[in-house]
Amino acid sequence: MSTVTATALQSENPPIIPLPFNANQPQTIKLYPLSNYTFGVKETQPEEDPSVIARLKRLEEHYNAHGMRRTCEGILVCHEHNHPHILMLQIANAFFKLPGDYLRPEDDEVDGFKARLDERLAPVGRIGEGEEAGDWHVGDCLAQWWRPNFETFMYPFIPAHVTRPKECKKLYFIELPKSKVLSVPKNMKLLAVPLFELYDNTARYGPQLSAIPHLLSKYNFEFVNENDEVVAATPGVGPDGYVPKTKVLAGGSGGDEDMNDAKEEENGTA
């Protein structure tokens, strides 16, 4: 490249570099591309309750026998075009939820959570070579949502008048490895939803899922390509013209998905 060309490519007004701004910053997280992961389907997992009323009735029975129900769900993050995407389930083409479920009364929190993740996403017969049961890296607890009563509403705090909440749901950051095999039940879809789509979108995803971009804003990300090379890092942008879209990974026809009519169950509270 000639000196004239090189000079022409340089800005006449170079950026002003501020002092370091990383005090008390959590570790930078590596995000691997969606193409690194293999997706499949497995046998149907029918819903335990035929209705919301039945679900709340079962919650009441659980509370009377075992006390507050403990629920754990995972925020699994990868990237597409250097934009973070969240892996989540869509059930009956109607509502969204994160992988995970309530713990059994006798379960240890983390081990029980890993078992519920296996039920939802682990391949049958351990298709992924070298994978073992509970092979999940459970990271930070990013949020706690509380159910004060036997109702659908949950809050990110315990209301002042409530002394015995009926359920606590924890959202954990799950660090995905470089590659992994994931399988979704036939009656569900596994989606990759961009943060852009979730942000400030309570009408479609409810308060819990639409808050995920806020929860992840504490981290800086490095975006790794298929050759294990860091190609971008926050702050940064994807390729020109790319508009993040939800992608169906398994359990559907595949490709980009229009989610305008789908909503998270009970507006993100159940």
Side-chain angles (χ1 to χ4, degrees):
M1 181 179 293
S2 67
T3 303
V4 174
T5 304
T7 302
L9 293 176
Q10 294 177 356
S11 171
E12 296 181 358
N13 299 298
I16 299 174
I17 308 300
L19 291 175
F21 198 51
N22 296 307
N24 298 334
Q25 186 76 29
Q27 65 176 5
T28 297
I29 303 294
K30 280 190 176 182
L31 298 184
Y32 296 95
L34 194 57
S35 56
N36 272 26
Y37 304 101
T38 302
F39 305 99
V41 295
K42 56 186 178 183
E43 289 303 312
T44 295
Q45 293 181 2
E47 288 291 287
E48 293 184 76
D49 306 296
S51 67
V52 173
I53 293 176
R55 183 179 298 112
L56 295 176
K57 178 63 176 177
R58 185 162 54 86
L59 170 62
E60 185 173 359
E61 293 171 351
H62 180 284
Y63 181 83
N64 291 334
H66 308 289
M68 184 188 73
R69 185 164 71 181
R70 303 171 299 153
T71 298
C72 295
E73 294 182 348
I75 298 175
L76 287 68
V77 192
C78 57
H79 81 86
E80 178 85 341
H81 295 279
N82 304 332
H83 183 81
H85 284 58
I86 308 300
L87 301 186
M88 62 179 64
L89 300 168
Q90 186 187 22
I91 302 175
N93 293 320
F95 58 86
F96 304 99
K97 66 183 300 183
L98 295 170
D101 214 328
Y102 64 89
L103 304 181
R104 298 176 179 86
E106 67 276 11
D107 282 349
D108 170 79
E109 182 175 340
V110 174
D111 289 342
F113 179 31
K114 290 180 178 180
R116 301 319 295 261
L117 286 175
D118 275 350
E119 290 176 13
R120 281 287 190 257
L121 295 179
V124 177
R126 305 296 163 194
I127 298 174
E129 294 184 5
E131 292 188 13
E132 300 179 353
D135 187 17
W136 301 95
H137 188 287
V138 179
D140 296 334
C141 176
L142 299 182
Q144 297 182 94
W145 288 82
W146 302 87
R147 193 187 304 278
N149 301 300
F150 301 114
E151 299 173 347
T152 58
F153 297 104
M154 299 188 78
Y155 302 88
F157 54 87
I158 302 178
H161 65 281
V162 174
T163 58
R164 298 182 180 182
K166 306 307 183 285
E167 181 180 5
C168 178
K169 178 191 291 187
K170 289 188 176 184
L171 304 186
Y172 280 97
F173 185 87
I174 305 296
E175 295 185 41
L176 287 173
K178 184 187 304 184
S179 63
K180 193 173 182 65
V181 179
L182 302 171
S183 290
V184 63
K186 290 180 180 178
N187 58 316
M188 305 179 188
K189 289 181 182 179
L190 183 63
L191 309 175
V193 184
L195 291 190
F196 175 86
E197 169 70 14
L198 292 173
Y199 176 69
D200 198 26
N201 202 349
T202 56
R204 186 179 304 176
Y205 292 99
Q208 294 174 29
L209 299 184
S210 63
I212 289 176
H214 297 276
L215 302 177
L216 294 180
S217 67
K218 63 186 287 187
Y219 298 108
N220 286 326
F221 294 113
E222 291 181 339
F223 302 99
V224 180
N225 66 13
E226 294 176 351
N227 298 321
D228 207 23
E229 302 166 332
V230 177
V231 294
T234 51
V237 296
D240 292 340
Y242 173 69
V243 178
K245 295 182 180 179
T246 295
K247 302 180 75 69
V248 179
L249 307 176
S253 58
D256 297 337
E257 187 82 349
D258 184 357
M259 295 299 175
N260 289 336
D261 297 327
K263 295 183 180 180
E264 186 190 6
E265 182 180 15
E266 303 309 319
N267 198 27
T269 56

